[in-house]
């Protein structure tokens, strides 16, 4: 009786092992297909298909915290064919630059999807579907990427009719901080300020720039006080000016310093409200570390009679953030975030 029981137990155990084996083994990605489909005459969306030998893993897609222009697809409990690993797939469409697969661990696969626009401007849909090949046990993970038109609708109605002074930090003989790769702060601040001005004007605001080109506002090689006062004078001499937006990039001796911060003068409650709205909207847009809102005695804040803020977009001394700051699409992200914050301020004030 004991021997019969042992035999039956062993038989059941072995049977279970062989029947369950396909589900216990990690599925393998053995094929990858990309198709660019036209959604209209002007716009397209991307259809991706990952073929796996069976459907057993779970997956997720999320925005890369280190680079808001990347999406990360992670497939858990999965393997990938060696021919697909670290071989960038370059695309020629208006959504994605390239896709690269990596082995994150023995049973985890990741795909880095490098976008041509911020991830907040893209939406995606995923689904499992069985292989269309008759008799095949393979499964296909289908992923569709398309533009998120709602996220990028320029609908900032509250700025309409407002007079806003935009001040690109540094310029001319003053380069500002210089990043590890030689990117100058004065060029970043001007590029973002010009994009911000374009957005504000498109929504009905009147924008006055303290400088439109790479120049000193007062004069070359003037004193710091003369230069800063000249910027304040632009705001003070502009009829009906209601806000002053000063754009800078941060810098620190340690390259690990990172994130976004907005400053205001402590005696101005309206400047505090403006700084709070801009900081909140900006970090929601750029996905960088939120260093918060702080008070400061900066000359352009202390001597302005209208609500004024100084925005430190990111750290140009940080190699990763320097690269982002010098990217036109990321500059657009920053401009949208600032514009959204200004719009929020005018909605409440």
């Amino acid at each position: 009786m004991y021997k019969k029981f042992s035999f039956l137990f062993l038989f059941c155990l072995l049977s279970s092992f062989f029947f369950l084996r396909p589900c216990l083994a990690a599925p393998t990605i053995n094929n990858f297909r990309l198709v660019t489909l036209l959604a209209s005459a002007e716009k397209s969306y991307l259809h991706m298909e990952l073929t796996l030998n069976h459907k057993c893993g779970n997956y997720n897609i999320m925005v890369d915290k280190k680079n808001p222009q990347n999406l990360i697809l992670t497939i858990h409990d999965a393997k990938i064919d060696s021919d697909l690993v670290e071989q960038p797939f370059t695309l020629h469409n208006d959504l994605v630059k390239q896709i690269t697969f990596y082995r994150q661990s023995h049973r985890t696969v990741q795909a880095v999807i490098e976008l041509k626009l911020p991830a907040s401007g893209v939406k995606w849909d995923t689904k499992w579907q069985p292989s269309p090949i008759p008799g095949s046990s393979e499964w296909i993970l289908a992923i569709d990427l398309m533009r998120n038109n709602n996220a990028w609708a320029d609908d900032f109605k509250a700025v309409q009719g407002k007079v806003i002074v935009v001040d690109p930090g540094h310029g001319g003989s003053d380069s500002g901080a210089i990043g590890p790769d030689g990117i100058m702060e004065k060029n970043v601040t001007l590029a973002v300020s010009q994009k911000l001005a374009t957005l504000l004007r498109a929504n009905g605001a009147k924008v006055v720039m303290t400088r439109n080109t790479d120049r000193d506002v007062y004069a070359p090689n003037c004193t710091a006080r003369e230069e800063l006062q000249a910027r304040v004078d632009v705001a003070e001499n502009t009829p009906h000016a209601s806000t002053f937006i000063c754009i800078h990039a941060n810098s620190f001796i340690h390259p690990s310093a990172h994130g976004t911060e907005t400053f205001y003068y402590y005696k101005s409650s309206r400047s505090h409200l403006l700084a709070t709205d801009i900081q909140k909207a900006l970090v929601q847009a750029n996905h960088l570390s939120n260093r918060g809102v702080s008070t400061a005695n900066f000359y352009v804040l202390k001597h302005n009679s209208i609500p004024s803020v100084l925005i430190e977009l990111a750290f140009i001394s940080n190699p990763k953030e320097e690269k982002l700051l010098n990217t036109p699409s990321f500059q657009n992200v920053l401009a949208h975030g600032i514009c959204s914050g200004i719009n929020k301020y005018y909605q409440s004030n």
Side-chain angles (χ1 to χ4, degrees), residues 145-328:
L145 296 176
M146 62 212 83
R147 286 184 179 273
N148 184 4
N149 294 322
N150 291 331
W152 290 95
D154 298 339
D155 187 16
F156 304 125
K157 295 179 181 178
V159 305
Q160 186 172 2
K162 305 299 182 183
V163 180
I164 301 169
V165 178
V166 176
D167 176 34
H170 307 285
S173 61
D174 177 13
S175 67
I178 300 177
D181 285 338
I183 303 304
M184 296 183 183
E185 181 183 0
K186 67 175 183 177
N187 295 330
V188 170
T189 62
L190 181 60
V192 174
S193 296
Q194 289 173 332
K195 289 175 170 59
L196 173 61
T198 298
L199 258 180
L200 290 168
R201 288 169 179 149
N203 286 276
K206 177 184 177 181
V207 180
V208 176
M209 301 271 286
T210 59
R211 66 180 181 98
N212 285 295
T213 59
D214 180 18
R215 69 175 184 86
D216 299 88
V217 177
Y218 184 82
N221 302 310
C222 61
T223 66
R225 183 184 179 89
E226 288 172 331
E227 177 68 14
L228 296 173
Q229 185 59 49
R231 295 167 188 262
V232 172
D233 289 342
V234 172
E236 296 297 309
N237 296 327
T238 298
H240 310 296
S242 56
T243 49
F244 178 90
I245 313 297
C246 184
I247 309 293
H248 279 260
N250 220 333
S251 182
F252 194 59
I253 189 171
H254 297 298
S256 59
H258 61 286
T260 299
E261 190 169 9
T262 305
F263 293 93
Y264 70 98
Y265 186 54
Y266 75 99
K267 289 186 177 180
S268 174
S269 59
R270 286 190 176 274
S271 294
H272 184 201
L273 294 173
L274 177 61
T276 301
D277 286 335
I278 289 177
Q279 177 70 14
K280 182 178 180 180
L282 187 50
V283 296
Q284 285 178 344
N286 67 18
H287 296 281
L288 298 182
S289 178
N290 185 355
R291 298 176 65 90
V293 170
S294 303
T295 60
N297 290 325
F298 297 140
Y299 192 97
V300 294
L301 303 182
K302 186 176 181 179
H303 292 85
N304 249 310
S305 63
I306 58 175
S308 306
V309 297
L310 187 148
I311 305 165
E312 297 282 11
L313 301 169
F315 277 80
I316 201 168
S317 54
N318 180 303
K320 292 181 180 178
E321 293 190 354
E322 177 196 25
K323 183 178 179 181
L324 288 173
L325 287 169
N326 195 44
T327 305

